[in-house]
Each structure stands twice: as structure tokens, then as C-alpha cells.
Amino acid sequence: MNTPDSTPLQLSYDFALDRDCTTLSRHVLAQLQSFGSDAQDLSALMTRIALAGKLIARRLTRAGLVEGALGFTGDINVQGEAVKRMDIYANEVFIAVFKQSGLVCRLASEEMEKPYYIPENCPIGRYTLLYDPIDGSSNVDINLNVGSIFSIRQQLGDDPEQTGADLLQDGHQQLAAGYILYGPSTVLVYSIGKGVHAFTLDPSLGEFILSAEDITLPSHGPVYSVNEGNLWQWDEALRDFTRYVHRHEGYTARYSGALVGDFHRILLQGGVFIYPGTLKDPKGKLRLLYESAPLAYLVEQAGGKASVGQQPLLDVIPDHLHARSPLIIGSVEDVALVQSFIEDRSRQAQEERLLEK
Ligand code: AHG
Ligand code: MN
Ligand code: MN
């Protein structure tokens, strides 16, 4: 090449090659602007979560052809829900990828009553991984989208009873959170408190490649996402909201049965997802530590909001590992609209109580 010594060498690689090198682990290190041991740990942790995502995606892709991949196990989990074979497979995948990693001392998931300890990791790995191995299990057998949700917290103290009592802290304590969406492509979305970023799995490389950086939700979106089949079980405030969106132009309903999929739509396009308390489940269905809190962490990082009604979701302290909470999450204006109906009804109730006295 005829390049004078003073001019930089013109490399022939193109934009696509540069983009394809922005892998998840490289992105985490770049975000932390450090190659120190904490940064290396977090990067290695994310790489392991990504490996779990690839293994689960691989099984889902061929699930209809693999004997024993689909259907129920016949067991009921700690939540009282029927367990699917994919729930168990995915739960075990996360355990397998973190064994002998030296990174994580324990894992806590929807499918296990108590935290799962990896004692050999504990002297060095002070992190805890909380996760929902398969979110939206009812979609598995019909080949619709499902996800995995994860959250990373620092272990505080020694937890001698091994119950995970130190995990009963608010959602601000999360060090990182994210999800993997198994859809037409497999997408991993994460935050370590420096914005929200999405990676798409390139199956030919076997790598998650950066596909959207610094995602910001619109302050308002047309979508409202809620299971209206439960309307008879809701309180009046939620019915007020539903009447409002039914009677005003500009709203459209979307509900897939998988929180990760519904949330992903709202993260990219705006709107609100609601899983309120019901008559049967006054705190709703979604679990705080490994479903609602990780998504609340992401939504706030993306400029949105998450609430349980009249309190920010990230301020809620769970009273046990599998505690549930109502969830209202999405664009700032749409969450505020739902909250305005809740506040109106609570004011009315207060006034009625005063009149009765
Ligand atoms: P999981 O499959 O982990 O138990 O979670 C299912 C959750 C969530 O993904 C979804 O939004 C919600 O349950 C759907 O519940 P309904 O069928 O009650 O609407
Ligand atoms: Mn779930
Ligand atoms: Mn689940």
C-alpha cells in the first residue's frame, strides 16, 4: 500500500465488522471504563447470563422436535403454579452455567423455594443472581414468545440460615438487571445503571451483538397492556382507567401473556403495562424480586416509571423471597394517568370515611 508514513493506515474493514465486534462483554467493560476486577466480574457475569440465554434459545428453537421438551412436569411449584418442562430446564441451565464460575455464591429463582447455594464459589463470588427462568410459560407449548428475567445483587452478610433474608431489600439495591426475549430473534436487554442497551443474538457468530444503545421510552405511547379478562376482579380505579381508554381515541390494547414481550414493546414504543391486584391475588401475580423490580430498574434507566399504585415500585421492600406486588410500568405520562385514577378513588374513599364519622 502506498501510504506515506505520517498518514494513518486505511484499514479495509467496514462498519459492519466494527459493529459485529461490539459484543456484550466488551460493552460492559466499556460502560464501566475499567479493566479492574469488579468490572471483569460483572462482564464475566453478563457473559454467563448470555450463555444461559443461548442454551435456552437453542432448546426453544427445536422444542417441537425434542422429546420431553414441551408440556407439564406434573409438579406444582412454590408459587402454586403448574410447572412446565421448559421452566425446569431453564432453571437448571442458569445453575449449570454459574457452577464453578467463581462469580455467584447463590441463585434464587421462581422455581426454587429457597436460594440455591454454590458453596465453592462463596469465598470469592459475593453476587446473587435472581431470575425468572421462563417468563410467560403458557406461551411455550404454542411457540409464542417467552423470556428470562434477571437481577444481580450483592450478598450482604453470611445468610447462615440460607433463606436469603438479606435479599429483602428495595429495588434500588440492584447492581444490574435485564431480560432475554426469545422471539423471532433472541434479544438481551441489560442495564448496569448506565442506560439500557439491547443485543441481538447472531446465531452464525453465537454472540450477542449490540443492536440498540441508550434506549429511551417515549413519554407517552398508544399501547395499554393488561389482562382485561380480570376486570371483574379489579378495584374501581382500574375500571375507571379502562373506561377512559375505551372512550378516548389514540389507545390500543396489546397483551401477549408474557411480561417480557409486553414490556419490550413498551420499552421501544411507549405505553403502559399493568398487572394489578385482583380479588384472588390482592397483590397481583408478579413477583417483586425477579420479575417486577428488574423491569422497574430498566424502565427508570430508560426514562420511564414503575409504580405499585401510590408508591414507586423500586421503594417496595419484599417480606419474603417470592413476594408479589401490583405493577404499573411504562411511559411517564401513561403511568401517571393510571395513578391519577387510583389517587382520585383513594381521595373519594377518604372523604366518604370522614363523612361517616
Ligand atoms: P410466569 O410464566 O413466569 O409464571 O409468568 C407469567 C406472568 C407474566 O409473564 C404474564 O404477564 C402474566 O403472568 C400473565 O398472567 P395472566 O394469564 O393472569 O394474564
Ligand atoms: Mn414470569
Ligand atoms: Mn416463570
Side-chain angles (χ1 to χ4, degrees):
M1 210 186 283
N2 242 349
T3 313
D5 286 350
S6 54
T7 51
L9 191 66
Q10 284 295 305
L11 294 173
S12 62
Y13 68 71
D14 57 11
F15 165 76
L17 187 52
D18 203 23
R19 180 202 61 206
D20 288 352
C21 289
T22 311
T23 58
L24 182 61
S25 52
R26 177 165 135 178
H27 195 263
V28 177
L29 290 172
Q31 286 244 302
L32 292 168
Q33 295 181 324
S34 156
F35 290 98
S37 62
D38 285 353
Q40 296 282 359
D41 279 357
L42 215 46
S43 163
L45 245 152
M46 287 306 306
T47 304
R48 296 274 169 157
I49 291 170
L51 174 60
K54 289 179 216 173
L55 288 161
I56 295 166
R58 184 178 69 175
R59 188 149 176 106
L60 284 168
T61 305
R62 299 183 300 126
L65 305 171
V66 177
E67 199 163 333
L70 297 177
F72 290 96
T73 62
D75 294 328
I76 302 291
N77 69 12
V78 59
Q79 328 281 338
E81 291 162 355
V83 179
K84 292 252 163 111
R85 291 192 175 108
M86 269 311 296
D87 292 323
I88 297 305
Y89 176 80
N91 192 55
E92 286 174 3
V93 162
F94 276 94
I95 294 172
V97 301
F98 278 102
K99 267 191 175 165
Q100 292 160 359
S101 67
L103 291 165
V104 158
C105 175
R106 62 185 175 184
L107 300 100
S109 105
E110 178 187 325
E111 304 301 337
M112 300 185 289
E113 188 175 355
K114 287 185 172 176
Y116 181 98
Y117 265 81
I118 309 175
E120 62 271 26
N121 288 353
C122 293
I124 35 177
R126 301 301 295 167
Y127 296 106
T128 295
L129 181 80
L130 292 128
Y131 63 111
D132 178 359
I134 294 285
D135 172 66
S137 307
S138 74
N139 284 0
V140 163
D141 293 344
I142 49 170
N143 192 33
L144 291 183
N145 70 262
V146 293
S148 301
I149 307 175
F150 61 88
S151 163
I152 298 166
R153 294 184 183 231
Q154 191 83 40
Q155 181 160 339
L156 306 164
D158 284 336
D159 189 20
E161 316 263 296
Q162 302 206 342
T163 54
D166 63 293
L167 292 168
L168 307 181
Q169 310 263 347
D170 65 55
H172 301 286
Q173 308 307 320
Q174 295 172 100
L175 299 176
Y179 60 83
I180 303 156
L181 171 63
Y182 311 101
S185 350
T186 299
V187 174
L188 186 153
V189 175
Y190 90 106
S191 177
I192 49 172
K194 293 171 187 286
V196 178
H197 318 288
F199 292 72
T200 301
L201 179 62
D202 182 331
S204 65
L205 295 171
E207 286 276 9
F208 280 101
I209 305 297
L210 180 66
S211 48
E213 203 165 23
D214 288 317
I215 297 170
T216 317
L217 282 99
S219 57
H220 162 67
V223 167
Y224 72 99
S225 188
V226 62
N227 185 347
E228 289 191 54
N230 289 331
L231 186 131
W232 65 278
Q233 294 200 70
W234 294 347
D235 63 23
E236 280 305 319
L238 252 291
R239 295 185 198 187
D240 292 341
F241 167 76
T242 312
R243 274 190 282 272
Y244 180 91
V245 294
H246 285 178
R247 290 168 190 180
H248 287 78
E249 194 180 348
Y251 292 97
T252 190
R254 292 284 186 278
Y255 193 76
S256 73
L259 169 63
V260 167
D262 291 326
F263 178 77
H264 192 66
R265 182 199 298 276
I266 285 165
L267 182 68
L268 300 182
Q269 299 177 346
V272 63
F273 175 95
I274 309 167
Y275 206 112
T278 60
L279 277 179
K280 284 189 199 157
D281 297 305
K283 289 193 163 179
K285 180 178 182 187
L286 301 173
R287 278 66 43 130
L288 198 62
L289 282 168
Y290 43 80
E291 290 184 309
S292 321
L295 301 188
Y297 181 87
L298 290 175
V299 91
E300 294 214 349
Q301 283 289 319
K305 225 173 149 185
S307 156
V308 292
Q310 289 178 302
Q311 186 189 13
L313 190 130
L314 287 179
D315 290 353
V316 176
I317 298 172
D319 57 6
H320 66 285
L321 190 58
H322 301 288
R324 297 168 194 253
S325 77
L327 176 65
I328 303 160
I329 190 167
S331 297
V332 170
E333 289 173 22
D334 302 308
V335 171
L337 178 67
V338 181
Q339 279 181 311
S340 71
F341 290 105
I342 296 173
E343 275 147 24
D344 284 353
R345 284 283 175 182
S346 133
R347 222 181 354 259
Q348 275 174 33
Q350 222 169 349
E351 283 164 10
E352 281 165 19
R353 275 197 300 275
L354 283 174
L355 281 175
E356 277 167 18
K357 278 187 184 167

